């Protein structure tokens, strides 16, 4: 029969399985984030639900160090700096605040990506370091602090309740008396291998790779892929004709929060790239796109949160002739950047006042603004200029402006400071962009339900698509160019609520169906491509590509088919929808102009790990990330147990020694009385 053992460990520890750690990131000069000691950090749990509860941890409590279970509403800079300055805290578990903190919460910087945009002492010094406009006033900069104790997010309310119950049962002081042992304790493991800065950790990794057979890499650059496609196909391995003008439409597709791989990014990323995808679909449906005198390139940048990784790499590749386009080919630049939280349907058009001092740039920018404004006629979107005195908000366009004066506009829902009070935080969720569904819908009905947010973003996409059509030289009436709110709804559901849905399943390749996790996160990470990149790639191919009549073999090896024009198109054999009468799918071949290009900072290509021009962000490696709670005995009892154990060990050793020494007496064989000696 089968014998089932119940391990001692399971009887002692309760593991916490739904947690997210704060990990260490490094750049050219700093390390930020958190870590535990090499064997994990342990402390007696104390629940902090209001600021007065901190006194017990910081001064009164007799059992330091403490592991704090912190209410999400108290997870702010003031409290965290108090905890950072004491040795009485060994770690922190943060409970998610429900509802989101009403005053807003952004652990990002007040001036995002400062120093890596276009404004500096040499270019618009009056706008450098957000002198003119503080874009993220609620930014506390917590994500950019360095903590020498572990900090974990508790994602599951049930696990939070288990910890609170353990605390109530064992740790709550009664009638002013000190709580008695055993006490409820927590242990957090998140030891990081990299220290100091990217320069140090990359040098160590490089030396290991050079001299060791089994190199121990201590950190990895943040990297992924940009997704791009063109309205008219171009030779992706060749070079676009220098006379050919291209309009670039851009958005970022990554976000960030204080905790590793928790990056919902509803307003900071998803609202804009979903609008961008919807505009691309609307344009591809226009009948005369092959006649347009200018091409349009749809670009989705990865890693923009970390000092513009994706856009700086694309500019670098264009300058070094490693990309089909050159900077000279760019006619103009339109960027979508946080567009879901519009007041009175106003969308603000931001331009760069410095490059507009050049007369030819000013003429083109003016034309761009006029076309955008007139494209909003009849739509429920009002476009307004942010004005000359305003610099550009943090945007990928700034990296292109660093290279040359390109006419461009950045579209946002804010004139000055962000409307988004949860920028780069775990609360930048569907609720933040006012996505609401009726009660009782099935997942399939929720996927198809058109929310007000979807209608509103579809209106923005319509305006953008019509403006791009006219900017590219389109002469026909633009009223037929219309973004589909149903498509926007599906994308918002897939990118914000549930990746593993029937639509996403049907449009991706069978061999990557494992990427469809449940809750979508949009952190750039170090293993690429991440889920977001794959899905943006396949959604874009689905919305702008064409189904072609090729077999699986021909689709996977298009170079064998003479008419495939392999250098102009990408081919993908996708899963297809479920056959209504069976459990099998009906796969098909999609032909599109969607490509991936590297989003790895040029600093790593050039081995300039201390660069101040390019992003230098790396992520430390670690061995294990885990959390658990258990009951801990008093120090006295532990010492008594140890002493008794040692005494028993010494006694048993002495007993064994004496028994062994007298073995011939103790274990001698008695003589047989009947035996006769001769």
């Amino acid at each position: 029969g089968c014998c089932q053992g119940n391990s001692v460990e399971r009887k002692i520890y309760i593991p916490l399985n739904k947690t997210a750690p704060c990990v260490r990131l490094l750049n050219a000069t700093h390390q930020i984030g958190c870590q535990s000691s090499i064997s994990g950090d342990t402390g007696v749990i104390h629940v902090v639900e209001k600021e007065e509860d901190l006194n017990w941890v910081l001064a009164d409590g007799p059992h330091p160090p403490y592991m704090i279970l912190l209410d999400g509403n108290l997870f702010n800079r003031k409290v965290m700096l108090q905890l950072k300055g004491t040795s009485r805290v060994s770690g922190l578990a943060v409970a998610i605040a429900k509802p989101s903190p009403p005053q807003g919460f952004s652990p990002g910087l007040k001036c995002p990506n400062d120093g890596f945009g276009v404004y500096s002492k040499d270019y618009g010094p009056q706008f450098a370091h957000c002198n003119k406009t503080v874009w993220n006033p609620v930014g506390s900069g917590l994500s950019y602090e360095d903590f020498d104790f572990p900090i974990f997010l508790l994602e599951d309310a049930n696990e939070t309740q288990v910890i609170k119950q353990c605390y109530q049962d064992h740790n709550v002081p009664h009638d002013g008396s000190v709580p008695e042992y055993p006490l409820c304790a927590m242990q957090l493991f998140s030891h990081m291998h990299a220290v100091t800065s990217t320069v140090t950790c990359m040098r160590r990794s490089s030396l290991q790779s050079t001299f060791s057979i089994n190199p121990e890499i201590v950190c990895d650059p943040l990297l992924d892929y940009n997704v791009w496609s063109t309205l008219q196909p171009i030779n992706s391995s060749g070079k676009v004709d220098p006379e050919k003008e291209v309009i670039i439409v851009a958005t970022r597709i990554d976000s960030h929060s204080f905790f590793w791989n928790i990056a919902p990014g509803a307003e900071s990323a998803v609202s804009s790239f979903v609008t961008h995808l919807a505009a691309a679909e609307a344009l591809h449906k226009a009948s005369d796109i092959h006649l347009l005198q200018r091409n349009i390139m749809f670009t989705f940048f990865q890693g923009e949160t970390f000092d513009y990784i994706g856009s700086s790499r694309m500019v670098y590749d264009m300058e070094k002739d490693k990309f089909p386009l050159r900077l000279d080919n760019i006619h103009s630049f339109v960027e979508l950047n946080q567009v879901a939280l519009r007041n009175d349907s106003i969308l603000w058009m931001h331009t760069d006042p410095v490059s507009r001092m050049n007369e030819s740039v000013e003429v083109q920018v003016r034309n761009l603004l006029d076309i955008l404004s007139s494209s909003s006629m009849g739509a429920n979107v009002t476009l307004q200029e942010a004005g000359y005195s305003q610099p550009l908000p943090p945007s990928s366009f700034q990296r292109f402006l660093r290279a040359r004066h390109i006419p461009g506009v950045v579209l946002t829902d804010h004139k000055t400071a962000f409307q988004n009070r949860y920028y780069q935080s775990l609360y930048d969720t569907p609720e933040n962009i006012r996505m609401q569904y009726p009660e009782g819908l099935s997942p399939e009905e929720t996927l198809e339900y058109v929310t007000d947010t979807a209608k509103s973003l579809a209106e923005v996409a319509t305006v953008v698509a019509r403006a791009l059509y006219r900017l590219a030289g389109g002469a026909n009436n633009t009223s037929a160019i219309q973004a589909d709110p149903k498509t926007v709804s599906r994308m918002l559901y897939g990118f914000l609520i549930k990746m593993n849905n029937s639509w996403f399943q049907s449009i991706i390749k069978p061999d990557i169906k494992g990427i469809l996790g449940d809750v979508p996160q949009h952190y750039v990470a170090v293993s690429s491509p991440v889920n977001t990149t794959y899905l943006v790639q396949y959604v874009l191919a689905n919305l702008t590509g064409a189904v072609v009549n090729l077999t699986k073999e021909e689709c996977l090896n298009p170079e064998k088919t003479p008419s495939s024009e392999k250098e102009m198109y990408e081919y993908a054999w996708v899963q297809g929808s479920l056959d209504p009468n069976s459990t099998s799918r009906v796969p098909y071949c999609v032909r599109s102009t969607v490509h991936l290009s590297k989003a790895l900072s040029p600093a790593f290509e050039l081995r300039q790990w201390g660069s101040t021009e390019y992003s230098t962000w790396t992520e430390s490696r670690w061995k294990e990330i885990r959390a658990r709670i258990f009951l801990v005995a008093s120090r006295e009892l532990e010492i008594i147990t140890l002493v008794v154990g040692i005494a028993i060990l010494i006694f048993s050793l002495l007993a064994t020694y004496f028994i062994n020494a007298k073995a011939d007496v103790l274990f001698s064989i008695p003589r047989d009385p009947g035996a006769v000696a001769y």
Side-chain angles (χ1 to χ4, degrees), residues 160-238:
T160 306
Q161 201 46 52
V162 168
I163 300 169
K164 284 184 176 176
Q165 193 57 54
C166 186
Y167 167 78
Q168 293 288 345
D169 295 346
H170 299 279
N171 296 12
V172 175
H174 293 292
D175 310 322
S177 63
V178 172
E180 291 182 9
Y181 285 99
L183 295 171
C184 192
M186 185 187 292
Q187 190 171 27
L188 301 178
F189 296 85
S190 63
H191 181 65
M192 299 288 138
H193 294 178
V195 292
T196 312
S197 68
T198 289
V199 178
T200 304
C201 79
M202 288 300 289
R203 188 176 64 238
R204 285 179 183 172
S205 297
S206 177
L207 285 169
Q208 284 269 351
S209 303
T210 310
F211 297 111
S212 173
I213 299 168
N214 298 312
E216 190 175 318
I217 308 299
V218 292
C219 67
D220 302 281
L222 294 181
L223 81 159
D224 206 80
Y225 288 88
N226 297 323
V227 181
W228 64 276
S229 83
T230 49
L231 193 60
Q232 301 160 349
I234 61 171
N235 185 341
S236 60
S237 54

Side-chain angles (χ1 to χ4, degrees), residues 612-637:
T612 53
E613 185 181 353
Y614 297 114
S615 169
T616 53
W617 287 106
T618 52
E619 181 185 276
S620 172
R621 288 199 179 183
W622 58 81
K623 197 164 191 175
E624 63 172 347
I625 299 279
R626 62 192 172 101
R628 59 192 186 178
I629 62 171
F630 56 96
L631 292 181
V632 63
S634 69
R635 180 68 61 187
E636 291 79 9
L637 183 59

Side-chain angles (χ1 to χ4, degrees), residues 308-334:
Y308 306 119
I309 294 172
S311 52
S312 61
R313 178 55 186 256
M314 187 172 280
V315 171
Y316 174 82
D317 285 346
M318 285 179 176
E319 287 176 324
K320 301 286 183 227
D321 269 358
K322 294 179 179 176
F323 195 77
L325 258 68
R326 298 177 182 87
L327 290 167
D328 297 352
N329 293 115
I330 301 172
H331 169 266
S332 49
F333 199 104
V334 178

